[in-house]
Amino acid sequence: MTSKGIVRILFSLSAAIAATGFGLLVILVVLDILVRNLGLAKWPWLNELTEYLLTISTFGGAPWVLRQAAHVNVDIMLRIVPPWANALLMRLSYALGLAISVIVTWLAVTAALDSFNSGSVIFKNLMFPEWWMMVPVIWCFALCSLEFLLRALSGIKS
């Protein structure tokens, strides 16, 4: 498999994570409303689970949205500058995006390792290792770093 194929799979997986998470979120909220209104059950853990699903889905989908250039893009300045300045500004924005994404990835990895090494646990209705919640952040910003790097090298416009 080529490197382009692997990149395509990673970003498609990112989209699938987001779609699955948002789909589960919709199903769980509808079920919660249904069972509460029918008086069948109360799920005290559901609010917590929806928060985690929202986090996972958002961080899961962000790289795919960036890859598709489907994010909010303020390009007023790019419309009024000459083409050479436009290209320069785009490359600078990719370099800045890359730098920020690499820094956040590094911070998330160090936070996850610290949490793992200390054995920290999220202790609410649901209990699980704290570092698990850093995985979506690492995934998101590592893939965003890759996308910004590819754009900086190839000059792709968003």
Side-chain angles (χ1 to χ4, degrees), residues 1-12 67:
M1 179 172 289
T2 66
S3 60
K4 285 184 181 183
I6 292 169
V7 168
R8 187 173 48 252
I9 289 170
L10 288 173
F11 282 93
S12 294
R67 179 91 171 156

Side-chain angles (χ1 to χ4, degrees), residues 25-58:
L25 193 59
V26 168
I27 291 167
L28 288 172
V29 168
V30 169
L31 283 175
D32 181 48
I33 292 168
L34 184 65
V35 297
R36 272 192 296 127
N37 285 331
L38 294 176
L40 299 175
K42 289 183 181 179
W43 296 332
W45 47 266
L46 186 65
N47 196 28
E48 214 175 303
L49 181 60
T50 57
E51 289 175 11
Y52 300 138
L53 279 173
L54 190 58
T55 300
I56 292 165
S57 301
T58 302

Side-chain angles (χ1 to χ4, degrees), residues 89-104:
L89 289 172
M90 291 303 293
R91 293 232 183 204
L92 286 173
S93 70
Y94 299 152
L96 183 61
L98 174 61
I100 292 168
S101 295
V102 167
I103 290 167
V104 175

Side-chain angles (χ1 to χ4, degrees), residues 135-156:
V135 171
V137 179
I138 296 166
W139 172 267
C140 172
F141 285 99
L143 283 181
C144 285
S145 297
L146 175 62
E147 178 61 18
F148 282 123
L149 177 64
L150 293 173
R151 285 177 181 217
L153 295 175
S154 66
I156 297 171

